[in-house]
Amino acid sequence: MEEQSKNKISEEEKQLHGKRSRPKGGLITMPFIFANEICEKLAVIGFHANMISYLTTQLHLPLTKAANTLTNFGGTSSLTPLLGAFVADSFAGRFWTITFASIIYQIGMTLLTISAILPTLRPPPCKGEEVCVVADTAQLSVLYIALLLGALGSGGIRPCVVAFGADQFDESDPKQTTKTWNYFNWYYFCMGAAALVAVTVLVYIQDNVGWGLGLGIPTVAMFFSVITFVGGFKLYRHLDPAGSPFTRLIQVAVAAFRKRKLRMVSDPTLLYTNDEIDAPISLGGILTHTKHMSFLDKAAIVTEQDNLKSGQVPNPWRLSTVHRVEELKSVIRMGPIGASGILLITAYAQQGTFSLQQAKTMNRHLTKSFQIPAGSMSVFTTVAMLSTIVFYDRIFIKIARKFTGLERGITFLHRMGIGFVISIIATLVAGFVEIKRKRVAIEHGLLDKPHTMVPISFLWLVPQYSLHGIAEAFMSIGHLEFFYDQAPESMRSTATALFWMAISIGNYVSTLLVTLVHKFSAKPDGRNWLPDNNLNRGRLEYFYWVITVLQAVNLVYYLWCAKIYTYKPVQVHYSNEDNSPVKNDLQISNKN
């Protein structure tokens, strides 16, 4: 049973049992997996980075409506991973979920490219000082359908690629030298590299050549990524889906509610355990009992009404194992810390909207004949993030390890905390930069000339963009590590989806915040903190500082949550040699 628990993988790999062949998974699978993720990011960021320009200059939407459309699309794209994770963890498996989701994404990108090429799917260009014609319902419908298909495709790719890649490394194997926290750094580095290409090459093509080619390139790249990913099928380590994780969580809650009037047993060892029925959902080890949320432990109390007989599988709606109870506890414990990342995403979202609008008013010339496209300003975020990841992985971890004794240098909770502090500094700095930009506009009499370039260098925006990149390298990767590591192993696609859901909520909070500020800061004379047509007359710095204050409050909340957090304990199965008996060891899940 223990050997089965350790090695239970897909039928393709079982057929090779006993034969001397290359083990499934490992580093050799990474090019196939990363190719799919890089092309997905190339497609998403290639459009997202410059989408505010597309919506305002091509479809002629008002700035606030365009900004909300952008954050709503980002929010929906980050919410659909819950659906994709459910499909993958319940019955389809991660490989097939990624494959079919990539095809759906391909269709969406193709439709988006067509809408950018055909003139009938866009309003006519603006003429002089005439009022621009806004895109009609039919034109916007084509755009929204394409974006919806893209969001659905992302929903299957995002949660599964991360977990599927991490599945290729079996940390219970002592011969496995690559750690999952190394993998997460590589994963984010590849995403950053794709973003770098998108915000430079693709944005430049979109602004200077055409949106058809600018969107067509990532569409073609996505097609080849699907072919590449499927081509690595025989190399992958495929873990079988273990049934709906949501059903198991609900079963524990129902069983605990039914037995709510029972007195808790004095000895936790009397609670029900069954390694056989838990084997498919505990390949890396059984979750052991924790004293917190003891009311849920009642689901594992055996009573006469359970009619439990030797060798009989109990009714899961009446009796749950300790492992399944601890699965629910783990998910509940993750909630408060997972939610703390929402406001960082809200702050980060402004780079693609109002920070980009700031850049469009500033001098972006590097030479007399070349200027950086406004949509490429996020290159500074990406370069800062990539540089920080390399520094963190190659230097910071080694230094921190000497002081903490932890193999990973610092815990993911510490890593997240550092990211929160840097993000607060980023939005604080952004407010002061906006004051400087408007002061120059006033000095040159440009306050009421929103389309005239303000003679101030775009380099003033580099600090806020770079600080957001550094914050992302610390907080977002730590956030992703936290969800993957602390989630029950049978729910890792779902856990990764929760990471994207936090991003989704962060984008929706940005939409809500922009809407509320725009509404309640409006004055009878037309003044507004976030004006639609003239940023020079706005109070964007106040908006940035509202976000700064909210993040400061969120940091206090996070520190409290991190202080009381309990890491999940796992009874890990491992062996020192291929033929040695499997041994058990209790670990606090990957805190080290």
Side-chain angles (χ1 to χ4, degrees), residues 186-206:
W186 302 341
Y187 169 79
Y188 236 87
F189 186 89
C190 287
M191 283 207 308
L196 187 61
V197 173
V199 300
T200 52
V201 178
L202 292 183
V203 169
Y204 181 82
I205 292 174
Q206 291 164 0

Side-chain angles (χ1 to χ4, degrees), residues 330-378:
S330 295
V331 173
I332 294 173
R333 281 195 297 261
M334 288 165 55
I337 288 182
S340 66
I342 291 172
L343 279 178
L344 182 135
I345 302 303
T346 299
Y348 187 86
Q350 309 317 315
Q351 291 186 95
T353 54
F354 295 108
S355 294
L356 189 146
Q357 288 300 112
Q358 285 177 286
K360 290 180 70 173
T361 69
M362 301 169 76
N363 181 7
R364 290 174 279 111
H365 282 89
L366 290 178
T367 65
K368 290 183 178 180
S369 59
F370 177 78
Q371 69 172 357
I372 295 179
S376 292
M377 285 298 296
S378 57

Side-chain angles (χ1 to χ4, degrees), residues 424-434 460 463-464 467 544-545 548:
I424 291 173
I425 297 173
T427 49
L428 182 65
V429 168
F432 286 109
V433 172
E434 174 61 6
W460 280 89
Q464 68 194 61
L467 285 169
Y544 282 139
W545 290 339
T548 301

Side-chain angles (χ1 to χ4, degrees), residues 432-550:
F432 286 109
V433 172
E434 174 61 6
I435 290 176
K436 173 66 176 179
R437 188 194 69 82
K438 289 197 300 182
R439 185 176 298 161
V440 174
I442 293 172
E443 291 172 353
H444 290 80
L446 301 176
L447 206 57
D448 294 311
K449 297 180 179 179
H451 301 297
T452 302
M453 182 188 71
V454 178
I456 179 175
S457 174
F458 72 96
L459 294 176
W460 280 89
L461 294 175
V462 172
Q464 68 194 61
Y465 275 96
S466 299
L467 285 169
H468 278 299
I470 297 171
E472 185 178 9
F474 277 94
M475 192 279 160
S476 293
I477 299 179
H479 206 197
L480 185 57
E481 283 184 80
F482 168 77
F483 275 117
Y484 183 86
D485 185 85
Q486 291 299 293
E489 67 175 76
S490 61
M491 295 181 61
R492 281 174 171 166
S493 293
T494 303
T496 310
L498 293 176
F499 168 78
W500 289 108
M501 188 178 76
I503 294 177
S504 170
I505 297 174
N507 280 290
Y508 285 130
V509 169
S510 176
T511 298
L512 177 63
L513 196 58
V514 168
T515 302
L516 292 176
V517 169
H518 184 71
K519 178 180 179 180
F520 291 105
S521 67
K523 304 296 182 183
D525 60 359
R527 288 181 299 163
N528 197 300
W529 284 14
L530 304 174
D532 283 325
N533 301 314
N534 187 358
L535 199 61
N536 297 336
R537 284 288 184 180
R539 286 288 185 267
L540 181 58
E541 65 274 17
Y542 292 172
F543 179 67
Y544 282 139
W545 290 339
V546 166
I547 297 177
T548 301
V549 172
L550 291 175

